[in-house]
Amino acid sequence: MLITVASMTAACGNGDGAAPQNESTRPNTAAGLDTHHPGNVAFFKQFRMPNALLVKPPENLAAGADTATAVIVAEVADVRRTRVVGPPEARVPMTGIVLRPVETLHGKLRPELKDVIVEFTGEATVDSPESIAEMRASLPQGKAVWFLRWQGTPPPTSKPGARPIPRESKKFYGVVSLDGGMFVQGAENVVSPIAAESGETAGPPTMRKAGERFDKLSELAKKVRTLD
């Protein structure tokens, strides 16, 4: 139940370019989806935000897919600092995960964007490159399923006088929710490692809980394909 990066950066600018990672669609991707890579969960846990402002996440995978610009199977190609946002007294660094798309399961990636970069809130030290270098040295292996929302997507409702979406934000995607916006193959079942409550089953239904009920990531991907 966490606020997404897209909503945090909707009123902020400043950013850098990224290496090209064009969308592609390849058949027979299921085999690699079900391989468990122990280091992947540890890598993605770095992007959890347990104290973030709570918002209601999508209640199931279908609702998550409807919210998303695209749901894709992708590998991680790189990680980098994208920009620093916020007022001078509260600057917040943003970290971008550069994806290499393997298959589009639902929706469509933005054709004008040659790079698929998913932004997350970075670490507290805005000028330090060390954390980026450390993450780059331990990039996750294999494939994950990502529910992506383009940051240029207009909000469902907006207040009179609201600021327009900055041009810089339109270069990036965010996950539809930090509580289930991406999934990887875990040791025993599918997990959403960016979710602070990953593995928790109590409470109302959410897309994370729905996704984590699958034993295999290929089964989750198959389910999302049927939603198109």
Side-chain angles (χ1 to χ4, degrees):
M1 299 183 180
L2 300 172
I3 193 166
T4 64
V5 170
S7 60
M8 291 182 61
T9 59
C12 305
N14 299 330
D16 299 315
Q21 297 295 334
N22 295 327
E23 176 184 6
S24 61
T25 301
R26 306 175 197 166
N28 304 321
T29 59
L33 283 172
D34 298 336
T35 302
H36 169 53
H37 299 281
N40 288 3
V41 171
F43 177 88
F44 288 116
K45 276 184 176 180
Q46 299 175 89
F47 300 100
R48 290 183 176 183
M49 294 179 62
N51 298 317
L53 178 65
L54 296 180
V55 296
K56 186 177 180 180
E59 64 180 9
N60 52 43
L61 294 175
D66 286 343
T67 303
T69 303
V71 184
I72 66 172
V73 174
E75 301 165 341
V76 173
D78 195 11
V79 61
R80 61 193 60 191
R81 172 66 45 74
T82 52
R83 52 182 171 162
V84 179
V85 302
E89 67 276 10
R91 303 293 278 166
V92 178
M94 304 301 294
T95 299
I97 295 181
V98 184
L99 299 183
R100 182 183 299 112
V102 174
E103 180 185 358
T104 299
L105 303 174
H106 182 87
K108 185 178 181 181
L109 292 169
R110 298 291 301 188
E112 73 274 21
L113 298 180
K114 66 177 182 179
D115 308 314
V116 180
I117 305 174
V118 188
E119 273 197 320
F120 292 89
T121 301
E123 68 290 338
T125 306
V126 300
D127 297 320
S128 173
E130 283 78 8
S131 60
I132 297 295
E134 291 173 2
M135 285 190 286
R136 188 171 285 154
S138 60
L139 292 179
Q141 303 175 51
K143 303 177 180 71
V145 173
W146 295 80
F147 288 69
L148 302 179
R149 184 172 175 83
W150 178 49
Q151 291 192 31
T153 304
T157 59
S158 60
K159 298 179 180 179
R163 295 180 181 179
I165 298 172
R167 183 175 59 182
E168 290 299 324
S169 294
K170 297 179 181 181
K171 296 180 180 179
F172 309 114
Y173 294 89
V175 288
V176 299
S177 173
L178 286 175
D179 192 30
M182 60 85 63
F183 296 92
V184 300
Q185 179 64 50
E188 298 180 356
N189 59 280
V190 172
V191 296
S192 182
I194 61 172
E197 298 181 354
S198 182
E200 177 60 54
T201 59
T206 66
M207 65 180 295
R208 174 188 60 77
K209 294 171 186 174
E212 290 184 338
R213 291 193 187 101
F214 288 94
D215 292 329
K216 301 295 184 182
L217 191 59
S218 60
E219 297 170 352
L220 185 151
K222 182 178 180 180
K223 173 65 175 179
V224 176
R225 286 191 196 97
T226 67
L227 301 175
D228 236 343

